[in-house]
Amino acid sequence: TGMEQNGESHLKEPLLHAADGASAAAARVSPRKERTTRKVMFNVRGMSCGSCAVSIETVVAGLKGVESIQVSTLQGQAVVQYSPEETDARTIKEAIEDINFEVDELQEQEIAVCRLRIKGMACTSCSESIERALLMVPGVKKAAVGLALEEAKVHFDPNITSRDLLIEAIEDAGFGADLISYGDDVNKMHLKLEGVSSPEDTKLIQSVLETVEGVNNVEWDTSGQTVTVAYDPDVTGPRLLIQRIQDAAEPPKCFNASLYSPPKQREVERHHEIMSYRNQFLWSCLFSVPVFLFAMVLPMLPPSGDWLFYKIYNNMTVGMLLRWLLCSPVQFIIGWRFYVGAYHALKRGYSNMDVLVALGTNAAYFYSVYIIVKALTSDTFEGQDLFETSSMLVSFILLGKYLEVVAKGKTSDALSKLTELAPETAVLLTLEKDGSVISEVEISTQLLQRNDFIKIVPGEKVPVDGVVIKGQSHVNESMITGEARPIAKKPGDKVIGGTVNDNGFIIVKATHVGSETALSQIVQLVEAAQLARAPVQRLADKISRFFVPTVVVAAFLTWLGWFIPGQLHLYPQQWIPKAMDSFELALQFGISVLVVACPCALGLATPTAVMVATGKGASLGVLIKGGNALEKAHKIKTIIFDKTGTLTKGKPSVVQTKTFSKIPLLELCDLTASAEANSEHPLSKAIVEYTKKLREQYGSPSDHMMDSKDFEVHPGAGVSANVEGKLVLVGNKRLMQEFEAPMSSEVEEYMSEMEDLARTCVLVAIDRVICGALAVSDPLKPEAGRVISHLSSMGITSIMVTGDNWATAKSIAKQVGISTVFAEIDPVGKAEKIKDLQTQGLAVAMVGDGVNDSPALAAADVGMAIGAGTDVAIEAADIVLMKSSLVDVITAIDLSRKTLAKIRLNYVWALGYNVLGMPIAAGVLFPFTGIRLPPWLAGACMAASSVSVVCSSLLLQLYKKPLHVEEAPMTAGPGDGGSNLV
């Protein structure tokens, strides 16, 4: 039961701090370090430049006991690591104040967590600037912004700052933000009220709800007649609260409340974003297609295009005027988003794609306006406007954005499929004390409460997690655990919400509802994982910082490089296309360089791949906690397996029987089981279980037991009992010697043979004569051997670590094919072993069953908890394998290798594209081949590059498991395959 309780407490903890598992692990691992240094953070006001920071650093670093100091001018913060034995925070604070800065100390107060939905992010530099903006808010401890998820998770101190300030900071940076959840919003329900007409009614309902036991908070939204209630699911639930609201009405009034789920923000917004890009693209086409026709097509087709050349005034033609009129709305109304984005970016001192687009289109537009002014004022001026450049550029970029948003929506498909698994309705039963059904009613799944009884007929989905209390069936759990075979369920077995009941009728008692079900936990875990940044992404973050300024400089140099030789006639005049002069040619090259460079593709390379991979993993029963775990897993060279429950099934069972006298096997087992029936020892349970199965095979009733009297336990030796007048002894050699039962050489031989095979030999004596023996061992998982050999073919060495004795350990290792074994090691020792291997520079993964292995799982580079089933909240692990099949160890490593390969490919795609695109746009090929990239085409190329990166990530959806093991059916007959039966 110790294990059970562990599991229970795990399930009640919120999952969302799973992503911080690594830091928690680090904290647990090095207690010695913790004691000697302490970290303190100061807000320093009055720092204006880098030299202020340097002066603070030198003063503080000179203090005794200060180990390190980092000062950030931007955030106005100083972080000091010091040794508390030698100095304290006050001394440090005073030292900084002595050099004329104002200082507030930030104690480690309580920390609140909130998740925000963010609108308007385009690339990594956006997500970075939001992170920076959030971290500059006083009181924010940690901020993670997920680009692909469009979410931010912020840890902050509620005493210093508030949710509204965070949202304000994001809006200041030029993005939109909405609150998704705050702190422990896990058990919250939204009720829509009917019949509430006056403020008195509202007060009445509020007071009724607040008096209900288990209600923590009631929030009203008067405009929408909805109320949000935070409650404790152990005490109350939605049905009770709705009942209370209905009962509160005094006739003739009548109140009614119904559960409503606020529309899925993310879906609504994604749809809205897709539509807005689509509409903007169509509008811009409406204007830019005519501009293109008037500029490029009609002038080539005289006489139909001649009217464009009619002069209105001086040299200004009809064509110029039309193009100007049509291009302006595209530039300023439809293209306004680029101005806004660029303004906010530059205001914060960083640059993004909007800056490039705004620069490029404005250069083209205002040069064209200059041409028009020149044409109006002079009658000899010959010039060509570039209006088609700016309008087509905007159109192509919007098309690219539209395609990108559509593709990005597809990356979270796997997750949304998981959330839709739970059925809409369930059949609720009301039972009497004796278990007979009084009534049944179909209600919404969201209304189910803990300890409800639910009827599930064949072919129906299980609505919530629970325990079977009546009936037998097989349940198909493949959608959650990836386990293909339907699993037999009998009273007392757990069922998981979202799985499908196959063939029997069962009644289930709900244990976890709402956001506590395994399904919700999986979704929360994967969503939290998608926020965690993969270290690979740092490359993109570094590049994106100096990317845009470099491009602007390159574009300017390109323009100069073409303009000056053109003025000095250093290249042949016929290079200049008709109706252009050297300035325009140079300008077009410059604009092309600005527009072809695409920082977006770089920013999308990692998060989209991680998102698709974690979603795909979840649907295969492999939960990967974020990009960090993915990245570490692909470097794994050594895997440490725990023995019990990981390589073996973790439950002792009888694997072989032998009789030494004429007694039939069934009778021998019946007597043994009857003697063992009252014992709690795992070996005796295995024998009783085996006898039941044997009886089923022989067709006799399986739960019949003979009467036993005088049951006595002999510690360390076995048990004795009187069964139907016979003295039955079940135990080891010591017990037989105690009761003076003679040992024949045959028995001795058999025992030593079994010990070599690492099996425990249980002897059975009837009336002091040894009649038979049962060999008990913890059987290997059938796929273990295949998995170990497949791992070695992947270049990974396997090691076994166990708390069991050396003989057993060696025998098991030999059967699976593992050469390195460490036995007789306690859980802490396992963690030490892992550290030893890590000091040799190996990347180590640990596969354990998650309960007693947590120190080792936390210490390893990648901890894999196997067979988690419904208990997903395994804190210490980086990867949670839902099934207990070892094949998933390979799936996890293989998926991580494939994902990293995909990320690298995406980088090659995005970087290679920029490296090739920019020189071509700058006109490197023009002198030799006459090929140049007009700006509108450069814009189309830029859009194509980010779409191609997202599509490349989407190909991970096609991932297939590398190893399929057809497992033998579960029904274990006597012996391993019958061949051992004697």
Side-chain angles (χ1 to χ4, degrees):
T1 56
M3 216 161 115
E4 281 289 287
Q5 286 158 356
N6 267 350
E8 286 300 309
S9 66
H10 266 320
L11 282 177
K12 285 176 193 159
E13 284 176 21
L15 250 192
L16 283 174
H17 47 248
D20 313 339
S23 56
R28 262 173 294 179
V29 171
S30 53
R32 287 185 295 279
K33 245 193 187 150
E34 290 298 306
R35 269 180 236 124
T36 52
T37 68
R38 202 172 285 167
K39 193 176 187 179
V40 65
M41 203 166 182
F42 298 107
N43 259 350
V44 183
R45 291 196 295 278
M47 288 197 288
S48 54
C49 59
S51 59
C52 303
V54 174
S55 56
I56 293 177
E57 279 178 359
T58 38
V59 168
V60 176
L63 293 174
K64 189 168 176 244
V66 171
E67 306 216 344
S68 73
I69 171 165
Q70 289 160 318
V71 178
S72 150
T73 339
L74 274 182
Q75 291 154 16
Q77 284 177 344
V79 180
V80 186
Q81 277 227 333
Y82 65 96
S83 155
E85 290 134 33
E86 299 180 45
T87 182
D88 60 4
R90 235 176 81 214
T91 323
I92 299 171
K93 186 176 164 185
E94 284 163 3
I96 302 176
E97 283 170 343
D98 286 347
I99 46 174
N100 291 335
F101 292 102
E102 287 178 50
V103 185
D104 313 323
E105 182 180 345
L106 298 178
Q107 274 97 16
E108 290 299 317
Q109 290 107 341
E110 53 180 308
I111 288 186
V113 180
C114 75
R115 285 167 67 212
L116 302 166
R117 162 98 46 253
I118 292 180
K119 297 178 229 161
M121 289 196 290
C123 53
T124 325
S125 55
C126 301
S127 59
E128 279 218 318
S129 61
I130 293 174
E131 257 177 41
R132 257 177 274 155
L134 284 170
L135 289 169
M136 282 159 97
V137 177
V140 170
K141 298 275 182 282
K142 199 163 120 194
V145 178
L147 174 64
L149 258 191
E150 298 171 353
E151 256 181 43
K153 188 170 153 204
V154 190
H155 295 245
F156 64 96
D157 182 340
N159 304 330
I160 298 178
T161 186
S162 69
R163 296 173 283 183
D164 302 339
L165 281 172
L166 298 177
I167 291 175
E168 212 173 283
I170 295 172
E171 283 167 354
D172 267 2
F175 301 91
D178 290 327
L179 189 70
I180 303 175
S181 68
Y182 176 66
D184 303 325
D185 286 8
V186 277
N187 295 306
K188 248 194 185 172
M189 66 182 139
H190 304 275
L191 298 172
K192 198 160 190 58
L193 300 173
E194 287 153 36
V196 180
S197 50
S198 64
E200 287 71 43
D201 295 351
T202 330
K203 282 213 179 73
L204 171 68
I205 290 181
Q206 173 117 10
S207 59
V208 164
L209 287 174
E210 282 171 346
T211 52
V212 177
E213 193 190 351
V215 169
N216 306 335
N217 186 12
V218 179
E219 283 176 28
W220 271 91
D221 172 13
T222 38
S223 59
Q225 289 290 328
T226 58
V227 60
T228 306
V229 186
Y231 64 99
D232 175 357
D234 285 326
V235 186
T236 182
R239 284 207 310 281
L240 180 87
L241 294 173
I242 290 176
Q243 190 59 49
R244 285 294 165 86
I245 291 174
Q246 288 166 347
D247 296 349
E250 306 270 322
K253 280 214 158 142
C254 162
F255 296 154
N256 203 354
S258 57
L259 261 195
Y260 94 107
S261 47
K264 268 278 187 85
Q265 281 284 190
R266 192 150 147 215
E267 296 311 310
V268 174
E269 274 160 22
R270 172 146 294 146
H271 183 70
H272 180 76
E273 192 182 13
I274 289 176
M275 293 320 282
S276 93
Y277 273 122
R278 197 194 70 174
N279 296 341
Q280 284 189 321
F281 168 64
L282 293 176
W283 273 110
S284 72
C285 282
L286 187 70
F287 291 106
S288 40
V289 171
V291 172
F292 179 69
L293 290 175
F294 297 155
M296 300 286 192
V297 184
L298 289 178
M300 311 283 180
L301 306 172
S304 58
D306 290 350
W307 58 277
L308 289 169
F309 294 111
Y310 290 137
K311 294 185 180 171
I312 301 173
Y313 181 77
N314 277 351
N315 259 358
M316 182 169 151
T317 61
V318 176
M320 277 186 182
L321 185 65
L322 281 175
R323 290 194 290 268
W324 186 24
L325 292 176
L326 287 168
C327 173
S328 297
V330 177
Q331 179 70 28
F332 295 110
I333 299 170
I334 297 167
W336 184 243
R337 58 179 322 134
F338 299 117
Y339 286 102
V340 175
Y343 163 72
H344 281 296
L346 295 169
K347 189 176 91 178
R348 291 239 157 233
Y350 72 96
S351 46
N352 60 6
M353 178 198 96
D354 295 336
V355 175
L356 292 179
V357 175
L359 271 175
T361 53
N362 280 327
Y365 181 84
F366 286 108
Y367 170 71
S368 309
V369 172
Y370 158 77
I371 293 285
I372 282 188
V373 173
K374 277 291 279 249
L376 270 172
T377 50
S378 106
D379 48 2
T380 53
F381 177 75
E382 287 282 315
Q384 179 65 29
D385 57 275
L386 303 175
F387 284 122
E388 80 283 353
T389 296
S390 79
S391 64
M392 288 180 66
L393 194 55
V394 171
S395 302
F396 272 114
I397 287 165
L398 289 171
L399 172 65
K401 276 279 170 214
Y402 166 64
L403 293 173
E404 186 185 308
V405 174
V406 171
K408 259 168 46 182
K410 296 263 189 304
T411 56
S412 52
D413 269 4
L415 257 198
S416 49
K417 278 203 191 92
L418 272 179
T419 39
E420 288 156 14
L421 280 177
E424 295 288 309
T425 58
V427 177
L428 178 71
L429 301 178
T430 316
L431 299 184
E432 276 198 2
K433 291 266 186 336
D434 62 353
S436 57
V437 178
I438 306 173
S439 68
E440 58 177 66
V441 55
E442 188 167 342
I443 60 165
S444 156
T445 304
Q446 295 171 321
L447 286 173
L448 289 175
Q449 298 173 189
R450 248 187 226 168
N451 303 330
D452 278 344
F453 295 104
I454 313 152
K455 174 175 105 175
I456 302 166
V457 297
E460 223 178 51
K461 282 185 175 177
V462 179
V464 291
D465 296 3
V467 176
V468 179
I469 54 159
K470 191 172 167 194
Q472 290 197 346
S473 177
H474 282 77
V475 174
N476 179 357
E477 299 186 345
S478 59
M479 57 294 293
I480 303 235
T481 63
E483 181 82 63
R485 257 197 335 269
I487 289 155
K489 299 287 179 188
K490 54 184 190 305
D493 288 345
K494 286 184 181 167
V495 287
I496 311 175
T499 56
V500 178
N501 179 18
D502 256 12
N503 52 7
F505 161 91
I506 48 178
I507 293 178
V508 171
K509 179 179 173 187
T511 53
H512 295 91
V513 294
S515 57
E516 300 173 336
T517 59
L519 198 58
S520 314
Q521 302 262 317
I522 292 172
V523 172
Q524 288 173 39
L525 181 119
V526 178
E527 285 191 331
Q530 291 177 347
L531 264 181
R533 279 238 176 110
V536 195
Q537 203 178 334
R538 291 193 198 125
L539 172 65
D541 297 352
K542 277 191 194 128
I543 294 174
S544 71
R545 279 203 195 114
F546 58 81
F547 190 87
V548 175
T550 314
V551 171
V552 174
V553 171
F556 182 68
L557 292 176
T558 304
W559 175 75
L560 274 184
W562 280 98
F563 177 59
I564 293 167
Q567 290 300 308
L568 303 175
H569 302 302
L570 295 180
Y571 58 79
Q573 285 303 303
Q574 62 265 30
W575 279 12
I576 300 176
K578 257 205 336 277
M580 258 202 207
D581 61 20
S582 61
F583 176 80
E584 276 179 42
L585 182 64
L587 187 67
Q588 285 226 358
F589 280 127
I591 293 172
S592 291
V593 171
L594 271 182
V595 180
V596 82
C598 178
C600 296
L602 278 174
L604 291 169
T606 310
T608 52
V610 169
M611 199 154 171
V612 176
T614 43
K616 183 67 185 170
S619 62
L620 293 173
V622 176
L623 303 184
I624 300 167
K625 295 190 187 173
N628 210 346
L630 263 175
E631 185 162 340
K632 282 184 189 156
H634 94 285
K635 296 179 182 154
I636 293 301
K637 285 282 168 274
T638 310
I639 294 192
I640 293 186
F641 288 95
D642 175 43
K643 178 183 81 79
T644 315
T646 304
L647 288 171
T648 63
K649 289 191 174 154
K651 239 165 87 185
S653 60
V654 176
V655 288
Q656 195 174 3
T657 49
K658 183 155 174 97
T659 50
F660 300 118
S661 66
K662 292 278 182 289
I663 187 167
L665 177 64
L666 184 59
E667 194 185 324
L668 175 78
C669 289
D670 271 346
L671 289 166
T672 314
S674 304
E676 289 276 26
N678 298 322
S679 164
E680 279 298 301
H681 196 281
L683 289 180
S684 44
K685 285 188 176 151
I687 293 172
V688 174
E689 195 65 27
Y690 173 74
T691 308
K692 275 187 185 165
K693 289 214 174 102
L694 199 62
R695 281 195 191 132
E696 276 169 23
Q697 280 185 323
Y698 282 100
S700 53
S702 63
D703 44 7
H704 165 71
M705 284 282 176
M706 299 179 193
D707 286 342
S708 67
K709 299 188 196 65
D710 312 330
F711 171 78
E712 197 184 332
V713 176
H714 304 269
V719 298
S720 61
N722 196 326
V723 183
E724 297 191 344
K726 299 177 178 150
L727 171 65
V728 180
L729 307 172
V730 186
N732 57 18
K733 221 170 179 173
R734 243 174 69 195
L735 184 72
M736 300 301 146
Q737 286 163 350
E738 243 175 78
F739 281 86
E740 294 170 355
M743 301 274 288
S744 67
S745 58
E746 191 185 1
V747 175
E748 294 270 9
E749 220 170 89
Y750 182 73
M751 282 183 74
S752 63
E753 192 184 315
M754 288 300 105
E755 269 158 23
D756 289 345
L757 286 169
R759 293 173 180 172
T760 311
C761 201
V762 179
L763 300 173
V764 183
I766 297 166
D767 293 332
R768 296 197 168 82
V769 175
I770 296 177
C771 295
L774 299 140
V776 179
S777 84
D778 182 356
L780 265 182
K781 288 185 182 167
E783 74 277 8
R786 291 271 309 274
V787 169
I788 301 295
S789 65
H790 193 283
L791 282 170
S792 65
S793 72
M794 289 166 75
I796 296 173
T797 47
S798 305
I799 295 176
M800 186 171 91
V801 176
T802 176
D804 215 333
N805 62 46
W806 275 100
T808 313
K810 280 197 169 135
S811 146
I812 296 264
K814 196 166 139 202
Q815 287 175 53
V816 218
I818 293 181
S819 49
T820 322
V821 183
F822 299 107
E824 296 172 21
I825 289 181
D826 63 339
V828 183
K830 289 180 188 174
E832 293 296 323
K833 268 280 167 283
I834 289 172
K835 284 184 210 144
D836 292 346
L837 287 164
Q838 284 167 333
T839 49
Q840 297 165 27
L842 294 170
V844 183
M846 164 83 195
V847 183
D849 51 10
V851 182
N852 58 354
D853 293 327
S854 42
L857 290 174
D861 295 299
V862 176
M864 296 192 197
I866 192 166
T870 48
D871 182 12
V872 184
I874 293 178
E875 291 296 311
D878 302 293
I879 296 178
V880 179
L881 308 176
M882 303 283 290
K883 292 190 289 197
S884 52
S885 163
L886 286 165
V887 177
D888 287 348
V889 173
I890 292 176
T891 308
I893 291 177
D894 186 64
L895 180 61
S896 67
R897 289 183 176 184
K898 292 266 192 318
T899 309
L900 266 114
K902 181 65 74 186
I903 291 174
R904 292 201 184 101
L905 179 72
N906 286 351
Y907 272 136
V908 168
W909 220 205
L911 275 174
Y913 159 85
N914 278 312
V915 169
L916 286 174
M918 281 171 68
I920 293 174
V924 171
L925 300 176
F926 186 59
F928 314 109
T929 59
I931 294 176
R932 70 190 185 91
L933 214 53
W936 57 270
L937 196 58
C941 290
M942 173 182 98
S945 83
S946 44
V947 174
S948 63
V949 164
V950 178
C951 293
S952 143
S953 292
L954 282 175
L955 288 175
L956 277 171
Q957 291 276 22
L958 306 173
Y959 175 80
K960 294 270 189 302
K961 284 185 170 188
L963 180 67
H964 278 281
V965 174
E966 284 305 317
E967 289 169 39
M970 283 301 275
T971 52
D976 264 342
S979 58
N980 298 339
L981 271 176
V982 179

